[in-house]
Amino acid sequence: MQFTVNGTAHQADADIRTSLLDLLRDHLGLTGTKKGCDHGQCGACTVLVNGRRINACLTLAVMHEGDAITTIEGLADGDTLHPVQAAFVRHDGFQCGFCTPGQIMSAVGMLAEVEAGMPSHVSATLDATLDRVSLSEAEISERMSGNLCRCSAYPNIVDAIADVAGMTPAAQAEVDA
């Protein structure tokens, strides 16, 4: 199998039954992506594949031949944190930190979905051509609902994402009203 992980080409000789999560952790040594439930229910294993967020535990590595995969290790630019990583630090969007890599990767993917005009279940309209998706606390919560945090850092996670999205507290209150 050949694919790009965090901008670097990799070739792996893994069993065809190997999940993308296990390939990243066990074969490439990228342990930032966490194995939480191993059933796609917690989001701790979220990575970006060709810019879209997925649960790495639910997909076979062999399905991603030629794909570009981004893990938490590839998000920062050297010592400069990605804006979402910096916002999580600024807003204390973590406690124990186990879910944090998946939360951050999901937030990056979610913000790209919003930018592309993709609606969610709580969007005012399903037709992105009629109305740009306006990001609100409800939108963020719905879009991040596949990522669980046992420590319940949800308010700070939402604040971090709202910060990156440019939602000022006054603008957020206006949208949520």
Side-chain angles (χ1 to χ4, degrees), residues 84-102:
V84 174
Q85 290 173 309
F88 267 65
V89 171
R90 214 172 23 258
H91 291 276
D92 265 346
F94 54 89
Q95 286 184 27
C96 80
F98 187 83
C99 73
T100 305

